[in-house]
Amino acid sequence: GQNIDQPTEMTATEGAIVQINCTYQTSGFNGLFWYQQHAGEAPTFLSYNVLDGLEEKGRFSSFLSRSKGYSYLLLKELQMKDSASYLCAVSNDYKLSFGAGTTVTVRA
Amino acid sequence: DTEVTQTPKHLVMGMTNKKSLKCEQHMGHRAMYWYKQKAKKPPELMFVYSYEKLSINESVPSRFSPECPNSSLLNLHLHALQPEDSALYLCASSQIHRGGTGELFFGEGSRLTVL
């Protein structure tokens, strides 16, 4: 089975940094994805980690530790448009299972 | 072209109706997916097609019937649905890599309301 945990909500100020943690316990592992989803819209891909370490992509970075079953998504220089739900998802064969999502609210 | 196109965007149907949701991609992806998403919940996997064959059915009730006519198209046939089936239905596609999926590209979804 899959168990993917992430915080429900986070609030931060414009220009700040926020780190969203994700822990997982899964029966198999082929990689970990982070998706962003604005209310009423489809999820959009942010990052993918399959090996341990940090992947940096502009203002967004994602880290993975497979031995600890742990990942985080780091959002830097927060902008108002970053207010959204951030979904951690674990891939196992052809199944991509999502965590419940973290709603990030960016305040001016 | 990196789009997954879903039609219709909105659908209202009665419990005795038969309707279909359609999904199309032209990225050459050989895996296609149906997800169901309720408000403020994450997407839940329903079906996976790989190389046009059904590879995963997550114990979905038979009132939902998927079909993959070719590598670009994915349908979801709906019959005798219940009000609790009202949700956003997301189609996605991905390449197939050894050992699993690549990045999933999602369509904008079909918002279904069952009266």
Side-chain angles (χ1 to χ4, degrees), chain B residues 22-54:
Chain B
K22 297 185 184 300
C23 176
E24 187 170 5
Q25 58 89 14
H26 294 289
M27 293 178 278
H29 291 168
R30 301 304 296 275
M32 295 188 77
Y33 310 78
W34 280 114
Y35 279 84
K36 173 183 177 180
Q37 188 174 27
K38 303 280 268 185
K40 298 189 187 301
K41 298 288 186 185
E44 293 179 7
L45 182 64
M46 299 176 72
F47 301 105
V48 181
Y49 274 82
S50 52
Y51 300 107
E52 295 86 66
K53 292 192 187 326
L54 183 64

Side-chain angles (χ1 to χ4, degrees), chain A residues 29-30 33 35 37 40-46 48 57 87 91-101, chain B residues 33 35 37 41-43 45 48 50 55-56 58 88 90 96 99-108 111:
Chain A
F29 182 84
N30 294 122
F33 294 79
Y35 280 81
Q37 188 174 27
E41 298 182 9
T44 55
F45 169 79
L46 290 178
Y48 172 60
K57 209 174 178 182
L87 300 161
S91 174
N92 177 16
D93 289 333
Y94 298 115
K95 286 181 66 167
L96 188 65
S97 299
F98 288 86
Chain B
Y33 310 78
Y35 279 84
Q37 188 174 27
K41 298 288 186 185
L45 182 64
V48 181
S50 52
S55 55
I56 295 176
E58 289 286 275
L88 181 68
L90 292 162
I96 294 178
T101 70
E103 169 193 347
L104 264 63
F105 291 80
F106 284 88
E108 294 199 352
R111 188 162 298 282

Side-chain angles (χ1 to χ4, degrees), chain A residues 7-45:
Chain A
T8 305
E9 293 181 335
M10 301 183 76
T11 302
T13 307
E14 199 174 11
I17 297 173
V18 71
Q19 177 175 314
I20 307 169
N21 296 323
C22 172
T23 56
Y24 63 90
Q25 293 175 306
T26 57
S27 55
F29 182 84
N30 294 122
L32 189 141
F33 294 79
W34 284 95
Y35 280 81
Q36 179 192 62
Q37 188 174 27
H38 287 99
E41 298 182 9
T44 55
F45 169 79

Side-chain angles (χ1 to χ4, degrees), chain B:
Chain B
D1 185 0
T2 56
E3 278 193 353
V4 176
T5 305
Q6 289 187 242
T7 55
K9 287 189 170 21
H10 298 276
L11 178 63
V12 179
M13 60 187 290
M15 288 189 284
T16 58
N17 292 157
K18 283 186 181 180
K19 297 285 184 184
S20 297
L21 305 181
K22 297 185 184 300
C23 176
E24 187 170 5
Q25 58 89 14
H26 294 289
M27 293 178 278
H29 291 168
R30 301 304 296 275
M32 295 188 77
Y33 310 78
W34 280 114
Y35 279 84
K36 173 183 177 180
Q37 188 174 27
K38 303 280 268 185
K40 298 189 187 301
K41 298 288 186 185
E44 293 179 7
L45 182 64
M46 299 176 72
F47 301 105
V48 181
Y49 274 82
S50 52
Y51 300 107
E52 295 86 66
K53 292 192 187 326
L54 183 64
S55 55
I56 295 176
N57 176 343
E58 289 286 275
S59 303
V60 179
S62 59
R63 57 186 186 269
F64 295 91
S65 175
E67 178 196 19
C68 190
N70 59 54
S71 60
S72 300
L73 295 174
L74 184 67
N75 299 322
L76 186 63
H77 302 298
L78 314 171
H79 174 55
L81 294 194
Q82 303 295 312
E84 59 264 28
D85 296 323
S86 298
L88 181 68
Y89 288 84
L90 292 162
C91 173
S93 70
S94 75
Q95 295 177 345
I96 294 178
H97 296 298
R98 188 176 171 182
T101 70
E103 169 193 347
L104 264 63
F105 291 80
F106 284 88
E108 294 199 352
S110 293
R111 188 162 298 282
L112 173 67
T113 302
V114 182
L115 301 177

